[in-house]
Amino acid sequence: MLGVFEDNGLMAIAYYFSSLFRYIIYKQFKFFPHLILFGPPHKGKSTLAWSLSYMFGEARRFLNLSNFTSPGFSGRGQQIRNGIMWCDEFLNELDLWVHELLKGAYDGSGREKRTFKSNKSTQYLAIYIALVIYGQDLPNRDIALLTRCITLMFNYKGTKVKEDNLIALQELEKTGQLSGLTSDLQKYRSEVQQHFNQAFDKAKGEVRKKLMESSIVSSRILQNHVIPLTVVRLIEQSEELPTYKGKKFSDALIDFIITLIHRQSVSVIRQDEVAGFWRTFLFLHSQKMLKHDKDFIIEDKKQIRVLIKDTRSNTELKQFEGGKKILFLRFTRSIPMYKERTRKEGEVPFKDEQLKHYLSTSDAFLGKMRNKKFEGNRVNVSCYAFDMELLEFDLPLSKEVVELADSYVDMEQPCDFCERPLKDCNCLEPDKDDK
């Protein structure tokens, strides 16, 4: 597996080891992390998932997250104990109940169902499996879900050696012999049960020491990654695991874990900051400090022309079949107001370029435009374009807001003829003789 998936293979093997003792680990922590495989199509995600599935005998088909039910999920989860269930087609735009279901699975939550004995009696159905989830998206729509996962990014680049190794691995999988390894590893159940806590504390301290010079890391993210490392360390005391790049398996795994924790922590910080910016944006708009047409414009567009990434003048045309509701945002006033508001709340805002970078790497970002007409500007100015569907809030089209403002009449203002408030004025009413 290491000869095919390299670094990702390290964590996949470690996660497989830990899944065999999920019950013991869950009993201690009351949670068990998910393994997320994400990246572009045809980069090895499903191949790795199938390989992990073959470790438990005849591979079972995946659960499609785009087409399943909650009872179906719970039913499948109850059929497997101390093993792996893999789920396909994860996307950030899946219904929120799917995200909630996956978050609950991390905590071992299942569902309640009514029993046949009484309409008032219910039975709780817990799940006992480790989840391997793959798809094109990193689960960053909901930070709570992201922090419940170990995430592996796939950008597989094949070589002749890798292809040969993959063929050999798949031939071995077909024999069904790999399930024998799973059975053999059960002999370490007593070892894991007796020494897991002590080994976990030691491994956690080692990883924390290597992270000492980095920014603060979520304890949940840290614990998620240390769990498979701990099981590897316990097994490694009795089994000779393969070396990787000249290092002992567990030492190579620690190096990769540091990379994974750094990468995931940056993603969490980025999403938190982006979400904070949009919350502040909505507040400033509600206070009429940021305005339609002047600071931002919302329009339905079938196409826009944006700058090609990492270029200053080269552009590309993005087309949207059926049209798309787009938010065009200027930063001239919005960022200074955001920073001022953030400081008033007792927090330290990010620097301008840092915030722009986070916004430009968010899912909703469509691109930077060089020329867009805003109210109060003699010439067109640059702005960022965002997909309103992915911003998780909604505002009306700017045209509708402006038209409503133009048609608004303040009935408290005085009449030009009688000088009474318009609400009390009869000057504009038709005479009876005119009827």
Side-chain angles (χ1 to χ4, degrees):
M1 194 175 285
L2 294 177
V4 179
F5 303 106
E6 299 181 319
D7 290 354
N8 286 342
L10 275 172
M11 179 52 77
I13 293 171
Y15 188 80
Y16 154 68
F17 284 164
S18 60
S19 73
L20 302 179
F21 310 102
R22 182 203 178 274
Y23 173 77
I24 298 171
I25 297 167
Y26 178 80
K27 191 175 181 180
Q28 169 64 25
F29 295 108
K30 296 297 184 288
F31 70 81
F32 192 86
H34 305 326
L35 183 65
I36 295 282
L37 318 177
F38 75 98
H42 313 300
K43 294 298 181 180
K45 303 184 298 295
S46 62
T47 305
L48 177 56
W50 276 110
S51 293
L52 289 174
S53 187
Y54 276 112
M55 300 304 297
F56 298 90
E58 185 177 347
R60 300 187 64 181
R61 283 193 62 79
F62 52 81
L63 183 74
N64 190 327
L65 292 176
S66 298
N67 183 23
F68 80 110
T69 63
S70 177
F73 179 88
S74 296
R76 180 81 73 92
Q78 287 183 305
Q79 294 170 12
I80 306 169
R81 297 200 179 202
N82 297 317
I84 287 174
M85 180 172 82
W86 58 299
C87 305
D88 183 23
E89 297 298 332
F90 175 83
L91 295 169
N92 279 315
E93 55 261 35
L94 288 172
D95 291 341
L96 286 177
W97 72 265
V98 179
H99 289 248
E100 294 300 321
L101 189 70
L102 295 177
K103 287 193 292 185
Y106 172 88
D107 302 312
S109 301
R111 69 185 184 94
E112 288 190 17
K113 75 170 186 177
R114 183 179 299 171
T115 62
F116 290 106
K117 295 180 181 180
S118 169
N119 288 336
K120 297 180 180 180
S121 176
T122 60
Q123 179 184 6
Y124 181 72
L125 304 176
I127 57 175
Y128 308 95
I129 41 83
L131 274 183
V132 174
I133 306 165
Y134 77 89
Q136 295 185 39
D137 292 353
L138 177 70
N140 54 15
R141 179 184 179 185
D142 186 342
I143 296 300
L145 177 57
L146 178 59
T147 58
R148 285 167 164 79
C149 304
I150 298 170
T151 59
L152 299 181
M153 180 172 61
F154 278 73
N155 193 18
Y156 178 82
K157 296 179 181 178
T159 64
K160 180 64 168 61
V161 174
K162 285 184 182 179
E163 294 301 324
D164 290 343
N165 288 337
L166 177 59
I167 292 172
L169 175 62
Q170 291 178 332
E171 288 298 321
L172 181 60
E173 291 168 354
K174 291 177 183 178
T175 66
Q177 297 177 20
L178 291 176
S179 60
L181 176 60
T182 299
S183 298
D184 187 54
L185 288 170
Q186 299 304 313
K187 63 187 178 186
Y188 296 110
R189 180 167 295 277
S190 177
E191 176 75 11
V192 173
Q193 195 155 16
Q194 292 178 30
H195 302 291
F196 183 85
N197 291 351
Q198 184 179 355
F200 177 85
D201 290 339
K202 184 177 179 181
K204 183 179 177 182
E206 189 175 348
V207 174
R208 192 188 294 278
K209 185 177 180 180
K210 287 180 176 288
L211 290 167
M212 194 63 72
E213 297 179 358
S214 3
S215 55
I216 297 174
V217 174
S218 159
S219 60
R220 177 183 283 175
I221 293 176
L222 177 61
Q223 289 179 342
N224 289 343
H225 289 79
V226 172
I227 283 173
L229 172 62
T230 302
V231 178
V232 166
R233 281 281 174 81
L234 290 171
I235 292 175
E236 205 172 41
Q237 293 175 1
S238 304
E239 294 282 348
E240 185 177 349
L241 299 180
T243 58
Y244 181 68
K245 294 182 179 179
K247 292 185 177 183
K248 192 167 74 169
F249 188 95
S250 61
D251 291 340
L253 179 61
I254 286 180
D255 292 342
F256 187 45
I257 281 174
I258 299 301
T259 300
L260 292 176
I261 290 176
H262 276 303
R263 185 189 300 161
Q264 190 168 356
S265 297
V266 168
S267 296
V268 170
I269 292 171
R270 177 186 301 152
Q271 290 304 117
D272 277 345
E273 189 61 23
V274 168
F277 172 81
W278 290 120
R279 283 195 299 270
T280 305
F281 168 84
L282 288 173
F283 171 79
L284 294 171
H285 171 57
S286 69
Q287 300 300 307
K288 299 182 179 180
M289 298 170 72
L290 291 178
K291 301 178 180 179
H292 280 271
D293 277 357
K294 185 175 183 179
D295 301 297
F296 65 94
I297 298 174
I298 299 176
E299 295 177 326
D300 275 328
K301 291 286 186 181
K302 291 187 176 181
Q303 61 182 33
I304 58 173
R305 185 167 292 279
V306 299
L307 287 170
I308 297 174
K309 188 177 180 181
D310 298 326
T311 67
R312 293 187 176 183
S313 57
N314 298 332
T315 63
E316 62 178 341
L317 188 66
K318 286 193 173 183
Q319 296 180 312
F320 314 108
E321 185 177 350
K324 186 178 287 293
K325 192 175 182 180
I326 300 175
L327 167 66
F328 302 95
L329 178 65
R330 292 184 64 200
F331 290 128
T332 308
R333 285 169 17 101
S334 58
I335 286 185
M337 288 185 181
Y338 151 78
K339 293 171 74 172
E340 181 182 356
R341 179 67 187 174
T342 302
R343 290 191 187 98
K344 285 183 178 179
E345 294 176 349
E347 299 179 7
V348 179
F350 277 91
K351 295 180 180 179
D352 293 18
E353 291 306 314
Q354 205 169 17
L355 178 60
K356 288 180 182 178
H357 170 71
Y358 288 162
L359 288 169
S360 66
T361 55
S362 65
D363 293 338
F365 181 69
L366 295 173
K368 182 179 180 180
M369 297 183 64
R370 294 179 61 193
N371 299 297
K372 181 69 177 174
K373 181 64 176 176
F374 281 80
E375 181 185 305
N377 292 87
R378 295 181 180 179
V379 296
N380 290 355
V381 296
S382 63
C383 65
Y384 278 24
F386 297 92
D387 184 346
M388 285 292 292
E389 289 183 9
L390 299 180
L391 287 179
E392 298 188 12
F393 64 83
D394 193 26
L395 291 172
L397 298 175
S398 296
K399 181 181 178 181
E400 296 173 355
V401 174
V402 173
E403 288 177 349
L404 182 62
D406 290 342
S407 63
Y408 174 74
V409 177
D410 183 4
M411 298 304 290
E412 295 293 337
Q413 66 180 340
C415 171
D416 292 335
F417 299 101
C418 67
E419 297 185 353
R420 287 184 296 175
L422 288 178
K423 65 179 182 179
D424 301 324
C425 170
N426 299 321
C427 295
L428 299 181
E429 291 186 4
D431 291 336
K432 294 180 180 179
D433 294 339
D434 294 335
K435 292 183 179 180

